[in-house]
Amino acid sequence: MNDHIMPTYARLPVVFERGEGAWLWDNHGKTYLDALSGISVCNLGHAHPAITKAIAEQAAKLVHTSNLYRVALQEELADQLCAASRMENVFFCNSGAEANEAAIKLARRYGHQKGIDAPAIVVMEGSFHGRTLATLSATGNPKVQEGFEPLVSGFLRAPYDDIQALEELTDPDIVAVLVEPIQGEGGVRIPQPDYLSRLRELCDQRGWLLILDEVQSGMGRTGKLFAFQHAGILPDAFTLAKALGNGVPIGACLAQGVAASVLTPGKHGSTFGGNPLACSAALAVLKTLRKEKLVGRAGALGDSLASGLRSALSGNPHVREVRNKGMMIGIELDQACPQLIVQALNQGLLINVTADKVIRLLPPFILKVEEAQVLIEKLAGLINHAFTAHTA
C-alpha cells in the first residue's frame, strides 16, 4: 500500500497490469474474470480494439482546447446522443457526479425562472447520485453523508417505487424529481414496470421536471440504450457517465423541452468536459454498440445469466432473490455478505456487494457464453459453500 495516497478507499490487495475483453491480469500474472466492469464503466470490456484505436489516433492529433472554442467531436457526439434519446441538447462534463450536479443546477434555475425563491427537488431513499456536496446531499444513504453536515438544503426525500408517497407531497416549492430508473448502489432495486410512466404523468400534472440519473443504467446496460426507453417515456433531463467513454472520463446531462433552455452562457461550465479525447472515445463506444449489436446482446445475455444463477442457487435458503434488468444483476441474500468480495477475488472473480447483502454483477456486454457459464459456476459455488455449508 502507498502511504501517500489519501485513504478514501478500502482498496483490495491486488494490482492489475493489463486487461483484455472480460479478463484482467494482476502483476503476478494471475487472471481474473471481471463481472463488475469497473462498476459499469468498461461495458465493451478491456482494451477493445475500436476504443483503443480511437483514443490513440485522437491523442496523436489533439487532446484539449477548452470550451472557449467549438469542439467538432463534441458537436458530433451531442448530435448522436440527442438523436438516440430524443433530447435537444447536452452539457458535457467529466463524471456522473458532475452530470448530476448540472441536473440539480438546471432544476434550481428552472425553479427560479418560475419565481420560486427556494426550489426543492424530490429525491429517493436508497439513492446514490455522487460524492460532491450537492450530489451527496441528494443521495439517500445517511452513511455516505455522515461527517459532511451541514448538507446542501433543497432536497425532499421520498420512498423509492412509491407513487402514492409522491402524490401526497404538497410543498409548493417542489420543482423536480431526481430518480434512478434502477437503483444500483441502493441494491439493484428494480421498480414496478409502470413506475416511470406514472412518475411522468405526475410530473406533468404538477409542473415538475422529471430528471433521471442514468449514470449506471445507461449506455445499454439494461438492454436498451437508456433505461427509460423500457417505459416508453421521455424525461425532461437525464444524466450519463460511466460507460459513455468505456473508461475515458466523460459525463453528460441531456435535456429537452423547457429544460433545454434553462442553462445559458455563463450559468455552468467545465474545463475538461467534452474535450476531443473524451468525445472520440464516446463516439467509438456508440459506433461499437451499434456495429456489434451489443445493446440487444446485453438484454438477452443478462436474462440468460440471471436465469442460470437462479437455477444454480435454487434450494439455497439464504438466497432471497436473483433480479436483473439486462446485465444489471443483483443477488439478494438474507444476511450481510461483504466477505464474498475477497473470497471471489481469491478465486479469480471480481464482484461487488452493495446495500450490505446484495451481490451486484455488472459484466461487460462482450462476455462470451462460456465465460458467462464460468461466472455462474464460480459464484454459485462460492455462495453455496459460504452459506449453505455454514448452516449445515
Side-chain angles (χ1 to χ4, degrees):
M1 295 293 181
N2 188 320
D3 291 339
H4 298 295
I5 293 176
M6 199 172 286
T8 56
Y9 292 93
R11 297 178 196 270
L12 292 164
V14 62
V15 177
F16 294 114
E17 282 194 339
R18 67 183 179 94
E20 183 178 333
W23 296 89
L24 285 163
W25 282 258
D26 72 12
N27 55 350
H28 300 291
K30 181 178 175 179
T31 58
Y32 300 79
L33 181 59
D34 188 357
L36 193 57
S37 304
I39 315 180
S40 197
V41 167
C42 299
N43 285 358
L44 306 185
H46 300 282
H48 191 290
I51 313 304
T52 302
K53 181 172 183 288
I55 295 170
E57 289 182 352
Q58 188 58 45
K61 289 193 292 187
L62 185 67
V63 171
H64 179 82
T65 58
S66 89
N67 281 301
L68 294 176
Y69 314 101
R70 290 180 58 186
V71 180
L73 290 173
Q74 187 180 118
E75 293 173 5
E76 184 181 348
L77 178 60
D79 287 348
Q80 292 196 23
L81 287 173
C82 285
S85 64
R86 295 170 58 199
M87 293 286 118
E88 292 177 35
N89 55 23
V90 188
F91 170 79
F92 287 111
C93 49
N94 309 291
S95 68
E98 277 189 75
N100 286 331
E101 191 87 18
I104 290 166
K105 286 182 69 175
L106 187 157
R108 283 197 171 195
R109 186 161 164 77
Y110 167 73
H112 281 280
Q113 289 175 344
K114 293 176 67 177
I116 297 172
D117 292 333
I121 301 170
V122 180
V123 292
M124 303 300 156
E125 294 170 358
S127 64
F128 184 83
H129 298 296
R131 292 181 185 272
T132 64
L133 196 52
T135 57
L136 181 78
S137 301
T139 288
N141 182 351
K143 282 185 182 177
V144 301
Q145 296 169 335
E146 185 181 347
F148 297 104
E149 300 84 355
L151 301 176
V152 174
S153 61
F155 296 105
L156 296 178
R157 211 161 302 287
Y160 187 61
D161 196 16
D162 187 340
I163 291 293
Q164 186 177 344
L166 295 174
E167 290 173 340
E168 291 171 357
L169 295 174
T170 57
D171 189 327
D173 289 339
I174 295 174
V175 297
V177 175
L178 170 61
V179 61
E180 296 158 282
I182 296 173
Q183 286 192 341
E185 192 73 16
V188 192
R189 296 181 64 196
I190 303 168
Q192 296 298 312
D194 64 347
Y195 180 59
L196 288 185
S197 58
R198 294 184 65 189
L199 199 47
R200 178 69 274 178
E201 290 175 8
L202 182 63
C203 287
D204 288 342
Q205 291 166 10
R206 303 282 181 92
W208 301 343
L209 296 180
L210 175 58
I211 301 174
L212 302 180
D213 178 345
E214 291 251 21
V215 168
Q216 190 168 140
S217 61
M219 298 308 296
R221 172 58 62 184
T222 66
K224 297 278 189 184
L225 190 57
F226 311 113
F228 67 78
Q229 293 172 329
H230 289 285
I233 59 115
L234 212 56
D236 296 292
F238 74 100
T239 57
L240 291 173
K242 288 191 181 291
L244 181 54
N246 205 58
V248 176
I250 180 170
C253 177
L254 297 90
Q256 62 91 20
V258 66
S261 60
V262 170
L263 294 178
T264 52
K267 296 304 177 186
H268 198 45
S270 170
T271 295
F272 299 108
N275 75 20
L277 185 71
C279 288
S280 69
L283 284 165
V285 167
L286 283 171
K287 183 178 180 181
T288 304
L289 286 174
R290 286 193 295 266
K291 183 179 177 183
E292 300 184 11
K293 297 181 171 55
L294 288 175
V295 175
R297 188 173 198 276
L301 184 57
D303 288 344
S304 173
L305 244 176
S307 176
L309 286 164
R310 287 187 195 101
S311 176
L313 293 168
S314 65
N316 188 321
H318 299 287
V319 177
R320 284 183 173 171
E321 185 181 22
V322 178
R323 50 182 177 263
N324 81 294
K325 195 73 173 175
M327 294 282 264
M328 201 167 178
I329 302 171
I331 304 169
E332 183 170 343
L333 303 182
D334 64 357
Q335 55 195 278
C337 56
Q339 72 278 14
L340 288 179
I341 296 173
V342 174
Q343 292 173 9
L345 184 74
N346 291 337
Q347 293 191 22
L349 177 64
L350 303 185
I351 62 168
N352 175 247
V353 170
T354 187
D356 292 332
K357 56 186 178 182
V358 179
I359 300 167
R360 178 171 50 170
L361 302 178
L362 301 161
F365 305 168
I366 46 78
L367 191 74
K368 297 173 183 171
V369 172
E370 55 270 29
E371 291 169 337
Q373 191 57 38
V374 170
L375 170 56
I376 292 169
E377 290 172 5
K378 274 181 176 272
L379 187 56
L382 214 119
I383 295 170
N384 285 332
H385 176 77
F387 290 99
T388 305
H390 179 69
T391 52

